[in-house]
Amino acid sequence: MQRGTIMNKHVSILLTVAVAAIFLTALSSNAVSYTLKIHGNANMDESINDEDLTYLDKLIKGEVEKTEFSDANNDDVVDENDIEQIKKIIAGDEEFLVVQDDAGRTVRVDEPIDSFVYHGHNIFVYETLRAIGVSNKIVGVNSDYVTPGLSRYSETYFPELLSVENLGGLQAINYEVINNIKPDLIITDYLEYYDPIKTPDFPTIALDVNITNPKEATMRYGYIFGEVSKAEEYVSWMNDQEKKISEKVESIPESKRVSVYVCVGLPDVSTSKYSTPSKKHHYCQEVRNAGGIPINDEIDIKGISVDVDAEWIVSRNPQVILLSTNQMVGYDAHDSKEVAEYINAFLQKPELATVDAVKNKRVYMISHAFLKCGGASGLLCSLYYAKWLYPDLFADMDAQAIHQEYVSKFQHLDIDVNKCIMAYPLTA
């Protein structure tokens, strides 16, 4: 029996995000509100509640205009059946949900969802699903998460994924495995690499979670999985932490803000090859959210990064250098010896000897997979950055304690963050 139907045939995939959208994204609970992209959200706000029933009643009477999501059951007619659908969504006993995904597709999902597979890049999506308490429903994931040595593999952080089906590589998906699993839902964060036509009997949702949309995406997943209250709790926690960070950042005069070189990839200490991200990339936004000023604001490309030489870095003279890697640091790393040796060797690079960050030994390392590309959609990464950039200003925020709360309360894991080398060296 077919579990879902894609309503429109013309898929428009957003490959890049407008620069303005990223620059307007701030770590603040006072940011511009979002629209929950679920049919039944008749008044186009952040949730589905009694206000949508009121709006729909007025719409049926001709007192207000039809909105994108007022047709709750998506049958092209707004009537009493839509009111009944909204009532069911509010009560949490709807038989189906109609969702708009990131590719602009309208997807019907039968409820409840008892199983899903995840095909994706960064860990933002899966961390969100685990935060709302549905990790027990995953039955398959791409190879990065289940193959030792690959970028997202962690016996400590993802123990529950070790026993699920391997869906193949990100761009080499084993569709036969998925069809045999028969999941209630297929989730991808990048539809360009996933072809829903090859798994026609199961609904596919393209719904990323990233630094620009963590709250709306979390709530969309909350409704999809029937875990709205848990999604609201997680969003509230993110809002609280973001507010604490943003209030401090807003107090820093522009003239006092720290300049930062954020490196893409880990430079070989024996060579002079470096890389820097596009100014639109979330690597830079994490720095801005911490109050830093990336030195690469003229780098405006569609890709992730470009190669630069040492002279480029020297000419911009960053006050701090931020490095990241999938080795040496992470939840499975417990000895700082290797990362300490690397940073000491980096500080000896002669071509960077005149750079303030090197002279003042302000070179730091963070986990790429689990903080730079994870950790509450970059929130924890920005907090560790802020501690390095402005140690006095952020002295009263304990990054490890907040990190521990996230891991224990929202990732539901028995991990002692203090015993893991996630960021090095730490600032008190």
Side-chain angles (χ1 to χ4, degrees):
M1 177 178 175
Q2 186 164 337
R3 297 281 304 179
T5 304
I6 299 173
M7 305 300 179
N8 63 316
K9 298 180 181 179
H10 302 287
V11 179
S12 174
I13 302 172
L14 296 177
L15 298 179
T16 60
V17 178
V19 179
I22 290 187
F23 275 81
L24 288 173
T25 300
L27 278 177
S28 171
S29 59
N30 296 320
V32 176
S33 62
Y34 54 81
T35 295
L36 179 71
K37 298 176 182 179
I38 295 178
H39 284 247
N41 183 20
N43 65 352
M44 304 291 285
D45 65 2
E46 301 172 359
S47 62
I48 298 175
N49 51 35
D50 288 345
E51 293 179 6
D52 295 291
L53 293 173
T54 300
Y55 191 94
L56 213 58
D57 182 63
K58 291 180 179 180
L59 175 58
I60 292 172
K61 294 176 181 177
E63 297 174 4
V64 294
E65 296 294 322
K66 182 179 179 180
T67 63
E68 186 175 7
F69 302 125
S70 56
D71 186 3
N73 60 9
N74 199 46
D75 65 355
D76 294 326
V77 179
V78 176
D79 55 18
E80 293 295 329
N81 291 327
D82 296 293
I83 291 179
E84 289 304 310
Q85 171 69 355
I86 292 175
K87 287 180 178 178
K88 290 180 179 180
I89 293 173
I90 294 172
D93 58 10
E94 73 276 8
E95 296 175 359
F96 67 92
L97 205 62
V98 181
V99 183
Q100 184 183 98
D101 73 1
D102 290 348
R105 307 179 314 146
T106 301
V107 182
R108 172 178 163 142
V109 180
D110 288 343
E111 303 283 349
I113 296 169
D114 294 320
S115 64
F116 73 93
V117 298
Y118 173 54
H119 160 266
H121 288 69
N122 299 330
I123 68 174
F124 295 142
V125 173
Y126 185 68
E127 282 185 317
T128 299
L129 295 170
R130 194 157 59 178
I132 66 172
V134 300
S135 61
N136 62 313
K137 299 177 185 294
I138 190 167
V139 291
V141 71
N142 50 290
S143 59
D144 283 354
Y145 293 82
V146 295
T147 305
L150 294 189
S151 60
R152 306 299 184 243
Y153 182 86
S154 174
E155 295 181 11
T156 302
Y157 197 58
F158 293 130
E160 72 276 18
L161 298 184
L162 302 181
S163 60
V164 305
E165 291 286 346
N166 185 340
L167 306 182
L170 194 65
Q171 299 184 61
I173 305 162
N174 191 330
Y175 292 102
E176 183 179 358
V177 169
I178 298 173
N179 284 313
N180 288 337
I181 292 173
K182 296 181 172 59
D184 291 341
L185 181 65
I186 298 165
I187 298 171
T188 181
D189 63 3
Y190 202 52
L191 200 57
E192 183 178 349
Y193 292 160
Y194 192 92
D195 185 359
I197 294 175
K198 295 182 179 179
T199 50
D201 294 331
F202 318 105
T204 299
I205 292 282
L207 178 49
D208 192 14
V209 181
N210 56 58
I211 199 168
T212 69
N213 76 338
K215 300 176 183 74
E216 192 278 329
T218 296
M219 291 309 303
R220 229 182 316 173
Y221 276 124
Y223 279 93
I224 291 169
F225 281 94
E227 297 290 356
V228 175
S229 61
K230 290 180 181 178
E232 289 174 338
E233 181 183 14
Y234 180 44
V235 167
S236 177
W237 180 84
M238 284 193 287
N239 280 337
D240 289 344
Q241 302 304 328
E242 290 173 355
K243 183 178 181 182
K244 293 174 185 176
I245 297 171
S246 65
E247 285 179 346
K248 291 179 181 295
V249 167
E250 289 166 5
S251 72
I252 307 169
E254 287 295 324
S255 61
K256 300 292 185 181
R257 300 213 172 191
V258 175
S259 60
V260 177
Y261 167 52
V262 56
C263 186
V264 178
L266 196 63
D268 189 324
V269 293
S270 64
T271 70
S272 300
K273 296 179 180 179
Y274 305 91
S275 185
T276 191
S278 166
K279 68 179 182 180
K280 296 179 290 188
H281 201 276
H282 75 82
Y283 297 163
C284 291
Q285 190 60 40
E286 287 162 342
V287 171
R288 294 187 191 96
N289 288 344
I293 301 177
I295 64 171
N296 62 327
D297 271 351
E298 80 275 17
I299 307 296
D300 187 4
I301 59 172
K302 289 185 178 181
I304 294 176
S305 64
V306 295
D307 293 334
V308 295
D309 55 24
E311 288 75 15
W312 183 89
I313 300 172
V314 170
S315 67
R316 287 154 180 79
N317 193 26
Q319 295 166 279
V320 166
I321 293 176
L322 299 174
L323 307 170
S324 66
T325 182
N326 288 327
Q327 292 79 43
M328 299 184 277
V329 289
Y331 289 104
D332 299 289
H334 305 289
D335 188 342
S336 63
K337 182 173 184 265
E338 188 177 2
V339 63
E341 289 176 349
Y342 177 90
I343 289 179
N344 286 335
F346 188 94
L347 291 171
Q348 304 305 313
K349 291 170 75 69
E351 70 272 19
L352 300 180
T354 61
V355 174
D356 282 351
V358 173
K359 290 192 295 183
N360 297 319
K361 297 183 177 181
R362 299 188 71 184
V363 176
Y364 306 101
M365 184 84 75
I366 200 162
S367 170
H368 182 89
F370 302 111
L371 288 177
K372 198 170 179 179
C373 295
S377 301
L379 187 157
L380 294 176
C381 180
S382 290
L383 176 56
Y384 278 107
Y385 283 176
K387 294 282 289 184
W388 285 327
L389 302 185
Y390 308 101
D392 294 335
L393 181 63
F394 283 87
D396 62 341
M397 289 191 74
D398 187 333
Q400 281 192 298
I402 295 170
H403 189 172
Q404 184 66 63
E405 181 183 19
Y406 172 74
V407 167
S408 300
K409 185 175 183 179
F410 295 107
Q411 295 304 300
H412 314 290
L413 295 169
D414 184 19
I415 297 175
D416 186 346
V417 171
N418 293 296
K419 295 181 179 179
C420 305
I421 311 300
M422 302 298 299
Y424 186 88
L426 291 174
T427 301

